[in-house]
Amino acid sequence: MAVPGDPPNGAPDGTGGGDDDFRSDEFRSDEYRSVVFDEDFVRAARLQEYSAQERMGEHARAVRSRSIWSSGSAPGTSTPGRGARQGMLLVLLIATAFAVAVYLGLRNPYVPPPGGPAQALTSTVVPLAPAAAVPGGLPPELFAKSPAADYRVGAAGITLPAVRRTHHFTDVQVVTALSIAKDYLVQSSLDPDVLAGSATRPVRVLLDPDQLAQFDRSMTSPSGDGRHAVTGWLVRFDPATAVMADSRVRVSGTLAFEEVAQDVLEVTTDHTFVYAVRPATGAPSAADGASLFTVRRELRMRFDRDDLSARRLELASAYVMAGPQNCSADPAGGFRPLLAGAGPTTVGPAASDPYASGHPRRSAGLCGVLAPSATPGAPVSPAP
């Protein structure tokens, strides 16, 4: 007899009836009845979910420590939070900036601003009249019998002094100023084209831009007004009077430097240049008719930091004595030497020696007398 709820043809093959299922469930309950989880076991159990990195390696750290710079802080700990970290960073930044400022202040002292515009050149050019007849001859013989016998030739005679730093200028800046001063002396006193009057650019490029207008006017419209004499800026021979008979100019003198303001360095040059010249109209081969012409130049140059960077200078003053010349000649546009055979003149307040060491004796008048000791053939005195 079929049990209610069974299929019409009875239970399917391989399956038990309802009673069998009930007895099976009851058996399984009896099977797990011996497994008991007491209260202490449950309390001791801890559920921990590992990260992907921790699950990948058996040596990965289960708990990661937090540094002072990590964001946030673990609850219940004293690790500083975001505000504290920002404060520490700010203090560190201020301390670093202060240290850098102190270092830069020690390495690079305060540099004052550059000075004002360059002042105009003031110049005095004094011709020296001969006290005896002007001797002639070959240049080597004339030099050997003159006070310039021991002078050096050309730029070798312009030597730099011992260098030391000043209060506001480094030794490198002092060397730069002295080298610019030497360049100016070479270009304005030794360049053959400048001496012949065919070039001015080698001198012009070394001047402060504020003085260029005055320089250009002096070259185009020379005047003996104390500001626009060509011979105040450079050495030039009147090309209609004399030309160089020997390119080996004899030179001797000194350079000195001084800080006159915290942003101005001054260089003073005092040099004697001795030239062998001949008549401009004579034959180039007639060197036996040469004579000596002496120029004493005392220049005062100023440099600010812009001048040193640009390798230029401000020519503040020039005091020039040159002879033998006729006192009636105007030397503002160029020197007009009295050549070999010219007789002596007696015009002039006092004798002046352009070869004497130390500061030149400044003539109160517009003309001086060339000292006898400066004439070739006289006893040779030691070079200054």
Side-chain angles (χ1 to χ4, degrees):
M1 181 175 179
V3 179
D6 288 341
N9 296 327
D13 294 340
T15 61
D19 293 339
D20 293 338
D21 292 338
F22 175 78
R23 288 194 296 271
S24 176
D25 293 338
E26 184 179 2
F27 173 76
R28 283 193 295 270
S29 299
D30 293 340
E31 180 180 358
Y32 292 101
R33 189 172 296 148
S34 61
V35 181
V36 178
F37 297 97
D38 57 16
E39 186 175 355
D40 293 336
F41 179 83
V42 174
R43 289 180 179 178
R46 182 179 63 174
L47 180 62
Q48 180 175 355
E49 181 180 358
Y50 294 96
S51 65
Q53 183 178 0
E54 292 168 343
R55 291 196 298 270
M56 289 175 62
E58 60 181 357
H59 298 293
R61 297 178 58 182
V63 179
R64 289 171 292 179
S65 62
R66 298 180 180 271
S67 68
I68 191 174
W69 309 111
S70 60
S71 59
S73 59
T77 65
S78 60
T79 304
R82 183 179 182 86
R85 289 194 305 276
Q86 290 179 344
M88 296 179 67
L89 284 173
L90 181 60
V91 171
L92 180 60
L93 181 62
I94 294 175
T96 303
F98 179 77
V100 171
V102 171
Y103 174 77
L104 293 178
L106 294 176
R107 295 281 294 179
N108 300 303
Y110 168 72
V111 177
Q119 301 298 316
L121 165 68
T122 58
S123 61
T124 301
V125 182
V126 179
L128 300 178
V134 178
L138 294 172
E141 297 175 354
L142 294 173
F143 283 125
K145 296 178 182 179
S146 75
D150 296 330
Y151 285 9
R152 295 182 178 181
V153 177
I158 306 174
T159 58
L160 303 185
V163 175
R164 67 184 187 281
R165 66 165 297 149
T166 65
H167 187 63
H168 294 99
F169 290 88
T170 66
D171 51 355
V172 174
Q173 291 173 319
V174 173
V175 170
T176 300
L178 291 172
S179 65
I180 298 172
K182 179 175 180 176
D183 289 345
Y184 188 85
L185 289 173
V186 170
Q187 299 301 330
S188 64
S189 308
L190 301 176
D191 187 292
D193 293 332
V194 172
L195 297 177
S198 60
T200 59
R201 178 174 172 76
V203 179
R204 189 180 191 274
V205 297
L206 293 174
L207 292 172
D208 189 289
D210 294 333
Q211 291 188 313
L212 294 182
Q214 182 188 9
F215 177 83
D216 293 340
R217 179 181 170 184
S218 301
M219 298 301 110
T220 57
S221 302
S223 171
D225 60 358
R227 291 183 179 270
H228 299 96
V230 171
T231 48
W233 299 94
L234 49 84
V235 176
R236 173 188 287 181
F237 295 107
D238 178 9
T241 303
V243 294
M244 296 290 293
D246 190 339
S247 60
R248 294 169 296 179
V249 182
R250 302 312 197 263
V251 184
S252 180
T254 60
L255 288 91
F257 63 91
E258 179 185 7
E259 180 181 317
V260 296
Q262 65 177 2
D263 57 344
V264 177
L265 189 67
E266 185 173 278
V267 174
T268 302
T269 72
D270 184 6
H271 290 80
T272 299
F273 301 87
V274 185
Y275 306 87
V277 297
R278 60 176 179 81
T281 57
S285 59
D288 56 347
S291 60
L292 298 186
F293 188 82
T294 305
V295 179
R296 176 77 175 267
R297 303 182 75 196
E298 182 181 342
L299 308 180
R300 189 163 52 91
M301 310 173 184
R302 290 192 168 188
F303 303 83
D304 58 27
R305 287 176 174 80
D306 288 342
D307 293 331
L308 296 176
S309 299
R311 292 196 63 83
R312 66 195 185 202
L313 58 89
E314 171 192 343
L315 186 58
S317 66
Y319 184 83
V320 182
M321 298 188 302
Q325 292 186 92
N326 193 327
C327 286
S328 62
D330 182 9
F335 296 125
R336 300 175 181 177
L338 289 176
L339 302 171
T345 63
T346 57
V347 178
S352 299
D353 187 357
Y355 293 91
S357 60
H359 294 289
R361 180 177 180 179
R362 299 178 184 269
S363 174
L366 299 179
C367 186
V369 176
L370 190 64
S373 62
T375 304
V380 177
S381 59

